[in-house]
Amino acid sequence: METLQQVMKKTLFWAFTAWIPLVGYSQETVYVRIENKGGATIAYSPSSGVKLLTVDGLQFKDLNKNGQLDAYEDWRLSTEKRAADLAARMTVEQIAGLMLYSVHQSIPAQESGFGAGSYKGKSFSDSDAKAWELTDQQKQFMREDKLRHFLITNVQNPETAAKWNNEMQAFLESLDWGIPGNTSSDPRHAATGDTEFNAGSGGSLSLWPRETGLAASFDPAVVRQFGEIASAEYRALGITTALSPQIDLATDPRWFRLSMTFGESTRLTTDLARAYVDGFQSSEGKDEIKDGWGYKSVNAMVKHWPGGGSGEGGRDAHWAYGKYAVYPSENFEEHLKPFTQGAFRLEGKTQEASAVMPYYTISHNQATDGTNVGNGFSSYMLSDLLRKTYGYEGVICTDWLITSNEGESVGSFAGKPWGTETLSVAERHYQVIKAGADQFGGNNDKVPVLEAYQMGVKEYGEPYMRKRFEASAVRLLKNIFRLGLFENPYLDSQESARIVGNPAFVSAGYEAQLKSTVLLKNKQHTLPIRERRKVFIPEIYRQASKNWWNQWTAPRLEYPLDTALVQRYYELATDPAQADFAIVFVSSPQSENGGYSQDDRRAGRNGYVPISLQYNPYTATTAREQSIAAGDPVTDPMIMNRSYKDKSTRTENAADLDVLLKTRSMMGDKPVVAVVDLNNPMIFSEFEKEMDAILARFGSSAQSILDIISGKYEPSGLLPLQMPANMEVVEKQYEDKAFDMECHKDTEGNYYDFAFGLNWNGIIKDKRTEKYGNN
């Protein structure tokens, strides 16, 4: 497999070796770039008021504008010395701002609703602002709240992202100590969009399978290459922290965030976690500053400590109904291994992931101090376990909005202060600080942080709290210093456009899509279909449903792929009677709720309902009688049993099953190929016997599927998850335990178990299955 340097050399060699002008232009922002012979290249914006200092024949930025070279401005010193020097100089208010991580920022800002912003008091469309200009709100929280960490979502294009970065960095360079901004992103490279977590898919990025698809390659080298390429594209967009990888063990098949993990195997997830972080954080050669860190590095914030994949009933902790992670098989320590043996034990020189995010969940009855609070509030989980037992030295950043108030009901999408619901917002901030965290995700306001500081002064005294704040400041500053941002935070927007989504990167992503596809069934060698035959591909109906923000989407009947793409491979038949074979594109069953129903609650019941992995209606006759955990002191204080036994639920895309079965009927004895986009494991027994071939994909493109069906590429992917035989098996399995389900057996006698997959010759048996298959 090619290294990042080899991939980039194909198309970008000249972009990195061309003469670099002394002055770079980004429309509104002008920056000056100076190369120190044998030293750091520095860049600054004249509009920021920063001047240059010449010491020993070398150039330095006078960031605090005091006319002398201070230790934190001296790029010759170690990151540790510079961070400690600056932290000691900062006021408590400035450190409080450094501890903030912004709510989601769109570039340009949304007109209304989530992520909305204004430009001189007007919406973007009503203003004359450029897409890359800073919003009124961004200027406010940078100047007044001292915020220096940003989470960006969608961006108009790479040039806009680069120009916004330069605007933001020049603005910050003019303030206080000239601390650069540290911009982050959730994963944004999946070939298909996926709720909030792919809201950032704007921009011409290389496209890859989802994380479960990367896992389906069973190849750490593929994941390492993804990290290298994604980090290069991130840096070109001004993104310097990745809010990833998500290395929770996906031990419950119903969890809706399962598709963002590397699956349920500890061994595989651990190896892929290590490869991912090494790929993102490592700089080499001229790009390295020290210890593997440098100008091509991106901080990796691994999540979610200590693992969030064991929510009771498969429910998720973004909502109060899913706040509890349970451990019926007493398997808590297994969930730590991808962190302690993978992300915190790297092969590369950076040694460990630079940041970690605890999950919202209450790890029920796992804290030895007897508390049951969300992991971000838990002294046991953060100080005792993460810091002391495992010696983690990086940044701990809370998940977003844990200090905010929860909503009106357990089904509301609002704050997630699990276990601290009765505390005030400021008291929650204080609890987070005492627990050992350094940063507050999704908070633009310094006030509650300062209030928490005063609570600490009252309890422990000023010297203690000052030292505590400085400790967090040092950790946060190190993640900015080690990337070279204090020297040069600016981007050439034209170079960014050349790097992001360049042909070599796109090709590597496409190859990974092919490697992620799993052939599950191939009755009588139905595939490949190499000849140019007539194919029938039915439309898919999508009923009205609620999105991430609890807003209804309109029902629609849509073709699952571009017809022009199909015609590059086969003739498209609109009448199944005229077709030689059919391809049916469907998605795995999507439960119409996340395990909670307001209608059920209004009917006088507890509100809890099952999460289904089958298309047909499901009644949970074998669910546990008494839930393991329960209780919400604010919204549902009387509900002490969250069982959903004997309750029923449906799936939003039940029509997919109808399409599969009706296509079978219309095609008679002609071949029908099912292509399933797997977000979660599913019950294949509802339709498998009617299909001649089945392909599983994990967010990969339709083109990659057609390349495999047509025989251009041979499938090589393996299942990173078990496929259960039925829903009774799902109810029987333990939320915290992997590989404890009876798997589906198809008409060919194959079990859809972990590490199963077919190629044209049959069941795949190779070094990958030998290494990872014995779980």
Side-chain angles (χ1 to χ4, degrees):
M1 178 169 292
E2 293 178 307
T3 65
L4 174 65
Q5 288 73 23
Q6 291 170 327
V7 169
M8 294 187 70
K9 189 174 182 180
K10 289 180 179 179
T11 58
L12 296 175
F13 178 78
W14 65 274
F16 290 101
T17 58
W19 175 74
I20 301 170
L22 289 179
V23 180
Y25 293 94
S26 180
Q27 296 295 324
E28 298 299 317
T29 302
V30 177
Y31 63 94
V32 179
R33 181 173 175 172
I34 298 174
E35 296 184 3
N36 283 292
K37 186 176 182 180
T41 296
I42 61 175
Y44 69 99
S45 171
S47 66
S48 70
V50 165
K51 306 294 183 183
L52 294 182
L53 298 170
T54 302
V55 178
D56 299 331
L58 300 172
Q59 300 290 302
F60 301 86
K61 294 161 68 173
D62 185 13
L63 291 168
N64 61 3
K65 308 172 187 66
N66 66 353
Q68 63 186 37
L69 181 63
D70 298 305
Y72 87 93
E73 299 166 332
D74 190 344
W75 46 259
R76 298 170 299 183
L77 299 179
S78 69
T79 290
E80 290 75 14
K81 288 182 179 180
R82 298 178 73 185
D85 176 74
L86 179 52
R89 296 171 184 270
M90 296 173 71
T91 66
V92 169
E93 180 185 31
Q94 291 164 346
I95 295 176
L98 193 65
M99 297 170 77
L100 303 177
Y101 225 126
S102 81
V103 296
H104 301 61
Q105 303 294 307
S106 174
I107 304 170
Q110 300 291 332
E111 301 281 307
S112 61
F114 185 79
S118 61
Y119 300 83
K120 296 181 180 178
K122 297 180 180 180
S123 67
F124 178 69
S125 61
D126 291 335
S127 73
D128 58 358
K130 301 294 191 295
W132 59 82
E133 291 185 28
L134 301 176
T135 66
D136 302 331
Q137 293 76 18
Q138 290 164 355
K139 293 176 181 177
Q140 167 74 21
F141 61 61
M142 284 190 283
R143 181 189 298 111
E144 303 301 326
D145 292 291
K146 316 299 182 184
L147 186 147
R148 299 296 182 265
H149 292 80
F150 310 88
L151 169 56
I152 63 170
T153 55
N154 56 301
V155 297
Q156 191 176 76
N157 52 50
E159 296 95 326
T160 296
K163 292 174 182 179
W164 181 87
N165 171 81
N166 292 350
E167 289 273 307
M168 175 267 291
Q169 299 291 8
F171 186 86
L172 290 178
E173 197 172 68
S174 71
L175 303 176
D176 300 328
W177 305 100
I179 299 172
N182 183 351
T183 300
S184 72
S185 172
D186 279 303
R188 57 199 303 122
H189 279 82
T192 55
D194 200 10
T195 65
E196 172 201 11
F197 304 98
N198 261 355
S201 291
S204 305
L205 292 163
S206 59
L207 299 178
W208 299 68
R210 292 190 294 266
E211 286 79 357
T212 40
L214 292 173
S217 73
F218 276 60
D219 188 351
V222 170
V223 177
R224 171 70 187 247
Q225 184 187 40
F226 167 73
E228 292 173 343
I229 289 175
S231 63
E233 293 185 311
Y234 272 25
R235 288 301 297 257
L237 294 171
I239 298 168
T240 46
T241 293
L243 302 186
S244 58
Q246 186 178 322
I247 59 177
D248 314 79
L249 290 181
T251 49
D252 191 286
R254 297 163 291 189
W255 189 32
F256 96 100
R257 299 195 72 174
L258 178 147
S259 66
M260 306 158 207
T261 73
F262 291 132
E264 62 186 304
S265 166
T266 301
R267 191 183 312 166
L268 181 61
T269 298
T270 298
D271 286 353
L272 298 186
R274 185 184 303 111
Y276 189 110
V277 178
D278 271 332
F280 266 89
Q281 292 190 168
S282 299
S283 289
E284 300 175 352
K286 64 181 179 59
D287 296 318
E288 182 180 0
I289 297 173
K290 188 179 180 183
D291 298 330
W293 292 101
Y295 305 111
K296 295 295 186 289
S297 299
V298 171
N299 294 296
M301 185 182 292
V302 293
K303 55 188 186 185
H304 305 88
W305 177 264
S310 63
E312 184 164 16
R315 298 184 292 269
D316 181 69
H318 276 81
W319 297 267
Y321 59 68
K323 67 171 65 175
Y324 294 107
V326 296
Y327 301 88
S329 71
E330 300 181 356
N331 206 31
F332 173 77
E333 291 187 1
E334 190 73 14
H335 289 252
L336 305 181
K337 291 179 181 178
F339 297 90
T340 61
Q341 297 180 15
F344 301 163
R345 194 180 295 176
L346 303 178
E347 292 180 353
K349 293 163 67 175
T350 63
Q351 297 186 343
E352 67 178 12
S354 66
V356 64
M357 181 188 296
Y359 203 36
Y360 298 121
T361 46
I362 297 171
S363 298
H364 188 249
N365 290 345
Q366 298 306 305
T368 58
D369 59 10
T371 59
N372 268 313
V373 294
N375 294 308
F377 298 105
S378 174
S379 294
Y380 173 75
M381 296 297 172
L382 304 187
S383 291
D384 295 346
L385 200 60
L386 183 55
R387 292 281 192 219
K388 296 176 183 177
T389 300
Y390 293 106
Y392 182 69
E393 297 179 354
V395 167
I396 300 176
C397 177
T398 74
D399 212 331
W400 263 234
L401 302 177
I402 74 165
T403 56
S404 299
N405 293 324
E406 65 179 303
E408 296 179 356
S409 76
V410 293
S412 300
F413 188 89
K416 304 131 193 9
W418 314 143
T420 66
E421 293 90 344
T422 59
L423 299 181
S424 69
V425 170
E427 288 170 335
R428 292 178 196 138
H429 280 76
Y430 185 41
Q431 180 62 39
V432 168
I433 292 169
K434 289 201 296 182
D438 303 297
Q439 197 163 31
F440 301 92
N443 181 11
N444 297 355
D445 185 2
K446 69 185 179 185
V447 172
V449 185
L450 293 174
E451 290 177 353
Y453 181 86
Q454 292 303 322
M455 292 176 188
V457 169
K458 185 175 181 180
E459 183 174 358
Y460 296 107
E462 182 88 33
Y464 174 89
M465 284 306 294
R466 173 71 202 192
K467 183 178 180 181
R468 171 67 185 84
F469 264 46
E470 282 193 30
S472 286
V474 168
R475 295 188 190 104
L476 292 163
L477 289 168
K478 284 169 65 176
N479 284 357
I480 303 175
F481 275 114
R482 58 177 39 139
L483 271 56
L485 293 175
F486 273 85
E487 279 59 69
N488 180 16
Y490 296 100
L491 298 171
D492 180 333
S493 61
Q494 293 182 355
E495 182 179 332
S496 292
R498 289 193 295 266
I499 293 173
V500 176
N502 74 76
F505 288 1
V506 170
S507 177
Y510 188 72
E511 183 179 350
Q513 292 180 45
L514 294 166
K515 290 180 177 180
S516 73
T517 303
V518 182
L519 178 61
L520 294 173
K521 185 177 182 180
N522 197 19
K523 183 179 178 181
Q524 297 178 350
H525 297 285
T526 298
L527 301 179
I529 300 174
R530 302 181 190 276
E531 300 84 3
R532 186 174 176 80
R533 296 183 180 178
K534 293 182 178 180
V535 62
F536 172 67
I537 301 177
E539 292 181 305
I540 298 295
Y541 175 71
R542 292 287 175 250
Q543 70 176 34
S545 61
K546 288 185 177 180
N547 64 15
W548 177 265
W549 308 112
N550 210 32
Q551 300 167 326
W552 284 99
T553 62
R556 61 197 188 278
L557 182 66
E558 59 187 13
Y559 209 66
L561 73 170
D562 185 357
T563 57
L565 174 65
V566 179
Q567 291 168 350
R568 288 163 49 184
Y569 297 83
Y570 306 108
E571 292 183 40
L572 189 61
T574 57
D575 181 359
Q578 302 299 315
D580 298 309
F581 74 104
I583 307 174
V584 186
F585 288 85
V586 297
S587 297
S588 56
Q590 298 159 20
S591 203
E592 66 181 0
N593 53 67
Y596 187 84
S597 166
Q598 295 286 6
D599 291 339
D600 185 85
R601 187 71 185 96
R602 282 191 287 266
R605 296 181 286 270
N606 68 359
Y608 291 86
V609 293
I611 296 174
S612 179
L613 301 181
Q614 67 182 39
Y615 290 118
N616 282 312
Y618 168 62
T619 301
T621 57
T622 61
R624 60 172 65 106
E625 296 269 4
Q626 172 67 48
S627 64
I628 295 173
D632 191 293
V634 176
T635 59
D636 253 340
M638 303 305 293
I639 302 299
M640 297 309 296
N641 183 6
R642 295 184 167 194
S643 174
Y644 49 82
K645 189 177 189 300
D646 295 325
K647 292 184 182 180
S648 301
T649 193
R650 298 176 180 272
T651 51
E652 293 177 349
N653 59 330
D656 283 8
L657 179 60
D658 293 336
V659 173
L660 286 162
L661 298 181
K662 287 178 180 178
T663 301
R664 169 78 281 163
S665 179
M666 290 187 292
M667 292 298 294
D669 60 358
K670 293 181 288 188
V672 178
V673 180
V675 179
V676 183
D677 193 355
L678 279 179
N679 286 287
N680 288 81
M682 61 184 293
I683 309 303
F684 277 92
S685 59
E686 293 181 297
F687 66 92
E688 172 270 316
K689 64 181 180 180
E690 304 295 338
M691 300 295 109
D692 296 283
I694 301 175
L695 285 161
R697 61 172 171 163
F698 302 88
S700 57
S701 64
Q703 182 178 349
S704 67
I705 298 300
L706 292 174
D707 271 347
I708 289 175
I709 290 175
S710 64
K712 186 175 181 180
Y713 293 93
E714 185 173 15
S716 62
L718 303 169
L719 281 177
L721 302 152
Q722 290 185 318
M723 298 296 123
N726 50 57
M727 280 303 298
E728 287 70 28
V729 167
V730 175
E731 297 293 355
K732 185 179 179 180
Q733 60 90 37
Y734 291 134
E735 286 93 336
D736 62 327
K737 188 176 182 180
F739 312 121
D740 61 345
M741 294 192 296
E742 175 190 350
C743 295
H744 174 72
K745 182 181 180 181
D746 70 12
T747 59
E748 308 306 291
N750 294 321
Y751 288 91
Y752 294 180
D753 204 347
F754 175 81
F756 170 74
L758 303 171
N759 56 25
W760 301 146
N761 296 318
I763 298 175
I764 296 173
K765 298 290 184 182
D766 57 19
K767 291 181 179 179
R768 298 174 300 160
T769 59
E770 182 179 346
K771 181 176 182 179
Y772 296 110
N774 298 320
N775 284 281

